[in-house]
Amino acid sequence: METKNLEQVKELINRIADYYDLPTEEQTEEMQKLTGMDWSAEDLQMLCCEYWSHNSLEETAYFGFSS
């Protein structure tokens, strides 16, 4: 994992966390590209819920690379 990707993932999580709707197709594709994981919009929304509920942004971003 590159530090640049981590920072981009954190920024994307922040953008997604600002809305209650599912992430857009573009946001989902961007997260897939950054993390190398096959995220669905629903799973990505759940990842961001972890940030909303009890994990730090840093923890949530790291989790995005290992799910």
Side-chain angles (χ1 to χ4, degrees):
M1 167 183 45
E2 294 182 30
T3 304
K4 178 182 174 186
N5 284 6
L6 178 61
E7 294 304 314
Q8 290 174 320
V9 166
K10 288 167 43 176
E11 182 181 316
L12 183 56
I13 289 170
N14 265 326
R15 283 189 303 203
I16 294 169
D18 285 342
Y19 300 97
Y20 293 105
D21 295 330
L22 287 176
T24 65
E25 184 176 333
E26 292 79 18
Q27 290 171 325
T28 303
E29 289 174 359
E30 183 177 357
M31 184 66 84
Q32 290 171 347
K33 179 181 171 188
L34 290 170
T35 64
M37 305 297 289
D38 187 25
W39 289 100
S40 69
E42 292 82 8
D43 290 341
L44 186 52
Q45 182 183 41
M46 291 306 296
L47 174 73
C48 292
C49 286
E50 291 299 315
Y51 174 46
W52 296 328
S53 62
H54 62 286
N55 288 342
S56 71
L57 179 57
E58 190 86 11
E59 290 171 320
T60 304
Y62 276 110
F63 184 70
F65 285 93
S66 63
S67 294

